[in-house]
Each structure stands twice: as C-alpha cells, then as structure tokens.
Amino acid sequence: WVNTGGTMLNILLSGSNGKMGKKIQELCKDDEELKIAAGYDKLYDPSCPFPQYTDLKNVKDKVDVIIDFSRPEALNDLLNFAKKDLTPIILCTTGYNEDELLKIEETSKNIPVFKSANMSLGINIINNLLKKITPILYDRYDIEIIEMHHNQKMDAPSGTALMLANTIQDAIPEKTNLVKGRDGVKKRNKKDIGIHAIRGGTITGEHEVMFCGTSEIITVSHSALSRDLFAVGAIRAAKFMAGKKEPGMYNMDDLINLD
C-alpha cells in the first residue's frame, strides 16, 4: 500500500479496548498514514478517542481494512461485516476450532483474508527456517516444542506453537503425532512431536523448538520482550492488505517474501 497525496488508511479495530488494541492505538498515533476510524469491543470505554461499537451492525464509518485482536466468539460477526463491503481483514486472534477455521477458509473465497497465529516477523522467519532444517534433522533427532505465556492466556498450546508444530509435521514425509504434554509411564515414540505449555506471571511469549540428538541439542528459540512487536506486525499487515481486491488467504510469508 502506497500513500499517494495524504490518503489515510481507515482501520476498524476489533478488540479495541484490549491489551493489543491499546498497543495498536499507541502506534497509530505516530503514523501519518493510519487512522482508527472505529473500534469494536464488547466492553465500552468512555475514554476511547474514536467511535466505538459493541455491535458491528451499527458501524457506518468508512473502513478500508479490519484488524482483529479479540476472541474467536467474534469471528462470525466480523466475517459477515467484512463480506458486506468486501473489506480485507487481518485475523490476529488464536484459539479457533475446526469449524471456525473452515469458515475462515470459505470466506477467503470471497474477500482477502490475512491470518497468522503470530504477527512477529521473527517467529515467521523461524517458521520458514523449520521448513528447511526439519527434513535434514528428523531421522536422528527427537523434536520437542516448549511455549511459555502469561497466566491470562486462554488457549493452550498457543496458536504459535501449533503453527510451528504443523510446519514441522508438513516437512516430514511420514505421519507424525502431536503429543500435548506427557503423563503416565510410556516410552517416547520416534514419531512424536512434543508440545509443552507453561502459563505464569506476565510472560509475553517464549517459544523454543528443540532437536535432541544422541550427542547434541539444537535449539531454535524466540522471545517476545514486548507486545509492541505483534502490534507492529499487524499494522504492517494492514498496509499490505489495504486495497487488495483479490480474494484469498494471505499470511506473514507474503510479507516476508514481499520484503
């Protein structure tokens, strides 16, 4: 998206009063190309500096793109709103079930949909790296994923951990099993990909992929030091998606390849 002559990109911010919504607000204040035209949140905030709505049916403001940092329960209303005017939508929410994922896929046949389990550029570079190294290491290394988040996070394992696990599985020719935590007395199966979720305190986000061999351990890790990086990624995605007319599914790979 290129700003030509002062054109403003109008954003509908879903989850506007949440922690990530507040971060998006802060960053948009310093960006002359962006304007939050309206906010959508189930909780009303009287201090909000832009029009806000608890029902999308009441939104009349001009919107060029939608950024969603809310909950899976908001998905149906958001997709219906986006389809109404063929508005590109960026889905940053995690924890969708299978039915919701199918609805997202179906909607992408009508409008541009950007979906990523993690809006961090670093995580998505790691995800790309895993595509290359997993086929090389799988035969002689056991693969385990550890993720850590704050004690308020709703879904476990995290959407990012599942994204990394799915990438690893797709890179392995044979069928593998995702094992979410372990319990009981049972030897590890070679085809297991372990995922372990830790929840505590105010941890922003830690992800570690371990390739455990006979005489060495290779670790690929990412630490989120601030929520800012997720907000920055969402804004980059909004600029990338603005003006998109072609329906389809987009993700951070498209941004990385663009750069």
Side-chain angles (χ1 to χ4, degrees):
W1 182 73
V2 179
N3 189 334
T4 56
T7 303
M8 211 40 123
L9 177 60
N10 293 297
I11 297 170
L12 170 66
L13 181 57
S14 171
S16 55
N17 298 327
K19 290 177 181 177
M20 286 309 306
K22 297 290 188 185
K23 288 291 181 186
I24 296 282
Q25 289 185 45
E26 288 175 21
L27 292 177
C28 284
K29 285 179 186 176
D30 300 323
D31 195 320
E32 295 179 356
E33 298 179 341
L34 303 175
K35 174 187 175 184
I36 300 178
Y40 170 54
D41 204 297
K42 64 179 182 178
L43 299 176
Y44 189 84
D45 180 359
S47 67
C48 190
F50 45 80
Q52 59 178 316
Y53 304 88
T54 56
D55 190 335
L56 286 171
K57 293 175 183 175
N58 297 326
V59 178
K60 305 298 181 189
D61 308 84
K62 179 184 181 299
V63 172
D64 299 311
V65 67
I66 302 163
I67 296 178
D68 173 48
F69 269 110
S70 60
R71 297 278 180 86
E73 304 92 81
L75 181 67
N76 279 344
D77 289 342
L78 283 166
L79 293 182
N80 289 334
F81 180 86
K83 284 191 290 186
K84 181 167 61 75
D85 294 320
L86 304 180
T87 308
I89 185 168
I90 293 96
L91 297 172
C92 311
T93 300
T94 61
Y96 294 120
N97 60 36
E98 289 300 318
D99 288 340
E100 289 161 341
L101 291 172
L102 283 173
K103 285 176 185 174
I104 293 168
E105 192 69 39
E106 281 298 310
T107 301
S108 72
K109 296 175 182 177
N110 303 109
I111 64 169
V113 176
F114 187 108
K115 179 182 175 297
S116 179
N118 191 303
M119 299 305 294
S120 156
L121 182 64
I123 275 289
N124 285 278
I125 289 173
I126 285 175
N127 198 48
N128 273 272
L129 177 64
L130 291 174
K131 294 176 186 177
K132 298 176 181 178
I133 66 174
T134 297
I136 300 170
L137 299 176
Y138 172 67
D139 283 346
R140 298 187 179 184
Y141 294 77
D142 298 322
I143 306 173
E144 299 284 310
I145 300 169
I146 302 170
E147 60 97 344
M148 297 182 280
H149 285 86
H150 53 86
N151 58 20
Q152 299 301 303
K153 185 168 176 60
M154 300 292 288
D155 54 318
S158 68
T160 300
L162 292 173
M163 176 181 77
L164 299 176
N166 291 335
T167 294
I168 289 167
Q169 285 190 297
D170 290 343
I172 297 170
E174 62 182 329
K175 180 174 170 48
T176 53
N177 313 305
L178 290 186
V179 178
K180 299 174 182 177
R182 287 196 175 83
D183 187 30
V185 182
K186 186 180 179 181
K187 186 179 177 182
R188 186 189 196 279
N189 189 298
K190 171 59 188 168
K191 295 183 179 180
D192 289 348
I193 308 294
I195 306 184
H196 312 278
I198 294 169
R199 296 290 175 268
T202 58
I203 303 169
T204 302
E206 306 270 342
H207 291 87
E208 183 175 288
V209 181
M210 301 174 66
F211 293 86
C212 305
T214 303
S215 302
E216 66 179 356
I217 299 171
I218 301 169
T219 302
V220 182
S221 65
H222 179 271
S223 298
L225 304 180
S226 163
R227 288 188 175 89
D228 286 9
L229 82 163
F230 306 125
V232 168
I235 286 173
R236 289 181 63 183
K239 291 181 178 182
F240 171 71
M241 293 294 283
K244 283 266 188 296
K245 302 296 183 187
E246 190 69 27
M249 287 293 298
Y250 300 83
N251 57 38
M252 288 296 285
D253 282 350
D254 298 299
L255 268 180
I256 293 168
N257 293 335
L258 179 70
D259 293 342

